Amino acid sequence: MTRDPRYDILFEPVRIGPVTAKNRFYQVPHCTGMGWLRPRTLAAMRGVKAEGGWGVVCTEYASIHPSSDDLPYPYASLWDDSDIRANALMTDAVHAHGALAGVELWHGGARTANLLSRIAPMDVDSFPNPNGQPYQSRVMDKADIRNLRRWHRLAALRARDAGFDIVYVYATHDYLLSHFLSPRLNTRSDEYGGSLENRVRLVRELIEETKDAVGDRCAVAVRFAADAEEGEDGVPVVGERREMFAMLADLPDLWDINIADYSLEMGVSRFAKEAALEPYMAWVRSQTSKPVVTVGRFTSPDTMASQVRRGVTDLIGAARPSIADPFLPKKIEEGRLSAIRECIGCNICYSGDALGVPIRCTQNPTMGEEWRRGWHPEAIAAKGSDARILVVGAGPAGLEAARALGARGYEVMLAEATRELGGRVTREAALPGMSEYARVRDYRMQQLQEMPHVEVFRESPMTADDVLAVGADHVVLATGARWRKERFGPEGYVAIAEGAALDRVLTPDDIMDGALPEGPTLIYDEDGYYMAVSLAEKLRGAGHAVTLCTPSDSVSDYGSITVEAWRMRARLTKLGVGIVTAKTLTSFDGAEIALDCVYGGETVRMPFETVVMVTSRRPVDGLYRDLMARAGTDPLPFTLARIGDCEAPSIIATAVHAGHRYARELDTVVDEDQPFRHERIDVGSDRVADLGAHIGRAKP
């Protein structure tokens, strides 16, 4: 297949100062949970993106000095020569495929508590740490500003020596430089505060000094917010940003534009759709002669081409779409649009960084596994035998197992008990705002349709006898899980109702199957993610009086690390859903519930006619147990495995990964003791001498 000429504009080269991007696909800086802790993991992941056709591949924010230390969140760093060597792994991997490598020089200011370095944070004023750490920054004096400029210049030189082609001045996202720009936060009375010109001074100096440091070897980019403050979605509050931008418009070689509201810029698909930043970009392109890049969770080549043609942006910026499909540019170039794994906007990738672990992806199970397991998103080993495989269950785990096994060339039979494929993905995608989750199913169904050696059998519930009758060489069960009516307490699972009252206790599966509650309804949430909130929105939209109760101090704790909790809570408030926190549901008699305060307060009783329990799930593993019981008498004529929720209920990304791992490892030798490579510093045989050199020996 060949490229559609409508998309030719996306493959035009773009001059960025002294360097040239081979096309308009630009992977903007994004965090990975890898950073300086896992440089090989990071380099392999970025290299795969360059191989996939991205013209520019940036690393994550790179600390310029130990006074900007963000652990436990891993980040890149450019503190010394060791960092030059570590970052060169990434630039070499990117350059090997003809792409440019970019780096974002970063100082966190008050946002970094410096838990590793134990250096007092510094900022334009003494501010509390916004991440909840009990620390405040000290006020920067003139010597601090001179030091900052020197550190920034030294980091720029190290970036150049590490092989980066684009070096950023990072002036947004509520980090140090953005505070100097702020008319509210910057109340200094010296030449770095007060007037607009003074507040812009430090950013201007850093741009000029960075350009002087890197010379004609590297381009200099600035990351900058197009609006001054958060407002109504799609209605920018520009403030001074236009004037500020005009002062700097042609100084850098590239502008990387974002917005003040990170929950929209990085918004989940439930609340932010493709190209959500376009209204904020309306004035930017007309104010500078330099190229501009911005993001918008772009997955449609039509939207991308339209953005460029209409002058919204010069380069198509992406973080999440490049994670879901590192080969997105190449697939557009080769006319293979149906092969694109579109981002679903779940932000599981972001949660990895927030937890300090390498990123994962719901759509792309190879993300983060490029180095440690040697997985590639588009390449997979050929089959290791002529075995026939039966996959039971066509949810996310079963679909991915069948797809990946089919890609290896195996003869696969996929049996689904119902008419619809997709399992939980299909059911959950029908909830309010969740429609893009269906892409998990749709991508895999599309791929299976192109594999004649993979047969899909709908409405085919399987018993142990049925499985045995198939005559497969390998059987893998992906039969999912169902929500429980009990809650989980210190002594195990606890029923909250009995008798007739139990009929008024529903689960998410009941609601997704079409059941509707009677009378005032309590949704009790111990899951802490999106399910309870989605059900509350669904039931409230159907006219039911709904209250959401959780033993946590807040609604959707896990949503906080996927950047959606605030919007979830705001949506519930707007819909008139009642919210009760820090209460444990202990009983329900069909008319009244009892709630215990988690801090030991008095029991509260409230009238409700229906309770929806969003607590935990029970694996649907009856078929597995039946087959294992057969194995107790006569050995099974096939290998048997279970994957996904029927093994251990989890998030969709985990189910997809489990299916992919099964397919990768079939007919291979796996060392169960060391299933993948560890990226750790090897202190070597001189470790005792090294310790002695640093701390000496204790004297008697």
Side-chain angles (χ1 to χ4, degrees):
M1 301 177 70
T2 58
R3 182 173 77 216
D4 189 319
R6 292 178 299 167
Y7 310 135
D8 287 350
I9 195 171
L10 300 175
F11 294 89
E12 296 173 346
V14 178
R15 187 75 178 173
I16 306 173
V19 299
T20 300
K22 65 180 179 181
N23 58 37
R24 297 184 186 271
F25 293 95
Y26 192 110
Q27 183 247 279
V28 296
H30 73 79
C31 294
T32 63
M34 299 173 187
W36 63 265
L37 284 172
R38 304 175 182 94
R40 294 177 181 84
T41 305
L42 178 67
M45 181 271 291
R46 302 288 190 198
V48 165
K49 292 189 183 186
E51 181 187 353
W54 295 87
V56 178
V57 178
C58 298
T59 194
E60 51 236 65
Y61 63 121
S63 170
I64 63 173
H65 185 265
S67 60
S68 182
D69 156 38
D70 216 14
L71 278 182
Y73 313 114
Y75 49 88
S77 60
L78 283 164
W79 295 356
D80 55 28
D81 289 350
S82 174
D83 284 329
I84 295 175
R85 295 188 291 274
N87 281 283
L89 295 176
M90 177 267 185
T91 61
D92 287 347
V94 169
H95 291 156
H97 300 285
L100 301 178
V103 63
E104 186 174 58
L105 305 188
W106 164 76
H107 198 289
R111 290 195 71 88
T112 53
N114 297 337
L115 299 178
L116 173 67
S117 69
R118 301 181 73 172
I119 296 173
M122 64 181 188
D123 212 308
V124 67
D125 203 340
S126 181
F127 299 135
N129 179 275
N131 295 325
Q133 298 285 350
Y135 299 88
Q136 284 190 218
S137 61
R138 61 180 176 83
V139 182
M140 294 176 70
D141 58 24
K142 295 288 187 62
D144 292 323
I145 293 176
R146 288 193 297 271
N147 284 337
L148 177 75
R149 291 168 60 186
R150 185 177 73 257
W151 299 335
H152 200 279
R153 181 183 179 87
L154 290 172
L157 291 170
R158 293 186 186 111
R160 178 200 65 189
D161 294 345
F164 286 104
D165 307 287
I166 301 173
V167 180
Y168 271 73
V169 175
Y170 191 6
T172 186
H173 284 152
D174 200 29
Y175 292 125
L176 177 61
L177 298 187
S178 70
H179 294 173
F180 273 88
L181 297 175
S182 170
R184 291 185 296 276
L185 296 178
N186 186 349
T187 58
R188 300 175 70 97
S189 58
D190 60 11
E191 65 268 35
Y192 288 97
S195 69
L196 178 59
E197 182 177 2
N198 283 356
R199 285 182 278 114
V200 172
R201 185 183 305 276
L202 180 57
V203 173
R204 174 188 289 276
E205 289 173 343
L206 293 178
I207 296 171
E208 293 171 341
E209 290 164 3
T210 302
K211 295 196 77 170
D212 180 70
V214 300
D216 60 2
R217 166 64 184 79
C218 309
V220 174
V222 175
R223 212 167 198 185
F224 184 85
D227 58 339
E229 60 187 74
E230 298 178 18
E232 183 183 350
D233 286 357
V235 184
V237 181
V238 177
E240 302 175 325
R241 306 305 285 188
R242 189 189 298 264
E243 292 77 16
M244 194 177 289
F245 188 85
M247 290 181 174
L248 304 169
D250 290 329
L251 269 182
D253 300 306
L254 172 77
W255 286 97
D256 182 338
I257 303 297
N258 57 25
I259 61 174
D261 186 350
Y262 197 64
S263 74
L264 180 60
E265 176 194 339
M266 187 67 181
V268 297
S269 57
R270 298 177 63 199
F271 303 112
K273 301 307 177 183
E274 186 177 28
L277 271 61
E278 181 170 335
Y280 302 81
M281 295 295 298
W283 62 270
V284 174
R285 192 65 196 82
S286 65
Q287 301 295 307
T288 180
S289 63
K290 302 303 175 71
V292 171
V293 61
T294 193
V295 296
R297 199 164 54 82
F298 298 113
T299 59
S300 165
D302 292 306
T303 301
M304 299 176 197
S306 173
Q307 292 269 305
V308 176
R309 286 195 185 96
R310 292 183 293 111
V312 178
T313 186
D314 297 293
L315 295 127
I316 301 300
R320 291 171 292 173
S322 74
I323 295 167
D325 198 333
F327 274 63
L328 187 152
K330 186 158 286 189
K331 290 176 181 178
I332 297 174
E333 185 173 27
E334 296 173 352
R336 297 187 296 121
L337 303 188
S338 65
I340 294 173
R341 279 188 306 276
E342 294 183 284
C343 173
I344 70 170
C346 65
N347 282 6
I348 283 298
C349 54
Y350 187 82
S351 75
D353 175 65
L355 294 168
V357 298
I359 57 175
R360 299 162 291 173
C361 177
T362 300
Q363 278 283 60
N364 176 13
T366 69
M367 176 52 53
E369 303 283 16
E370 299 87 352
W371 181 82
R372 73 172 190 169
R373 291 188 191 270
W375 290 0
H376 188 283
E378 301 299 317
I380 192 167
K383 63 182 182 179
S385 71
D386 291 327
R388 298 168 67 243
I389 299 100
L390 171 64
V391 181
V392 182
L399 282 173
E400 176 59 19
R403 185 207 66 81
L405 287 165
R408 293 189 64 187
Y410 284 103
E411 181 183 340
V412 180
M413 296 162 285
L414 174 60
E416 166 56 38
T418 68
R419 184 67 188 164
E420 295 291 328
L421 304 184
R424 64 177 288 193
V425 167
T426 296
R427 294 155 65 78
E428 293 178 17
L431 293 171
M434 300 284 287
S435 61
E436 291 187 47
Y437 278 53
R439 292 175 173 179
V440 175
R441 174 200 64 206
D442 295 345
Y443 164 74
R444 287 159 179 85
M445 287 177 60
Q446 175 65 39
Q447 296 300 297
L448 292 176
Q449 288 173 8
E450 300 173 10
M451 297 177 179
H453 50 290
V454 178
E455 294 183 274
V456 178
F457 300 91
R458 301 170 187 257
E459 297 178 302
S460 299
M462 302 293 287
T463 65
D465 287 335
D466 295 329
V467 171
L468 287 162
V470 168
D473 299 295
H474 304 284
V475 175
V476 56
L477 306 181
T479 45
R482 300 284 290 182
W483 288 90
R484 307 179 70 121
K485 288 189 175 185
E486 305 89 359
R487 60 173 298 271
F488 187 75
E491 298 180 358
Y493 289 101
V494 179
I496 57 100
E498 58 185 20
L502 194 58
D503 294 334
R504 290 182 171 271
V505 178
L506 302 179
T507 70
D509 289 311
D510 295 326
I511 303 298
M512 290 187 286
D513 285 340
L516 290 175
E518 297 179 5
T521 300
L522 179 82
I523 297 178
Y524 181 67
D525 183 23
E526 288 184 347
D527 177 58
Y529 195 15
Y530 58 76
M531 181 56 71
V533 176
S534 298
L535 294 178
E537 186 173 348
K538 176 181 174 67
L539 296 180
R540 191 72 188 96
H544 296 273
V546 178
T547 296
L548 191 152
C549 174
T550 175
S552 173
D553 289 335
S554 58
V555 172
S556 184
D557 282 342
Y558 198 82
S560 296
I561 62 174
T562 53
V563 202
E564 58 187 312
W566 178 86
R567 287 181 176 263
M568 285 180 174
R569 297 160 189 167
R571 177 69 60 85
L572 294 182
T573 300
K574 184 177 181 179
L575 292 173
V577 174
I579 296 175
V580 177
T581 60
K583 296 288 190 296
T584 299
L585 175 62
T586 56
S587 67
F588 172 57
D589 63 8
E592 185 179 73
I593 63 167
L595 299 175
D596 284 356
C597 175
V598 299
Y599 304 117
E602 294 183 358
T603 297
V604 175
R605 300 188 181 278
M606 301 173 66
F608 283 98
E609 295 181 31
T610 305
V611 172
V612 181
M613 298 292 284
V614 187
T615 53
S616 59
R617 289 177 290 153
R618 186 194 308 272
V620 178
D621 59 359
L623 180 56
Y624 177 79
R625 287 184 281 107
D626 288 347
L627 288 167
M628 290 300 291
R630 300 285 185 96
T633 55
D634 298 307
L636 293 173
F638 47 73
T639 67
L640 178 65
R642 51 185 170 159
I643 56 174
D645 288 345
C646 81
E647 179 182 33
S650 185
I651 58 176
I652 297 172
T654 301
V656 173
H657 186 275
H660 192 83
R661 182 181 173 190
Y662 175 84
R664 288 265 183 180
E665 295 181 350
L666 185 68
D667 286 331
T668 64
V669 177
V670 178
D671 184 346
E672 294 296 334
D673 296 327
Q674 296 183 350
F676 50 77
R677 291 193 289 179
H678 293 271
E679 185 164 15
R680 294 174 179 167
I681 295 174
D682 185 352
V683 297
S685 60
D686 295 329
R687 59 190 180 278
V688 176
D690 290 343
L691 282 172
H694 283 89
I695 63 175
R697 288 183 175 273
K699 297 193 185 219

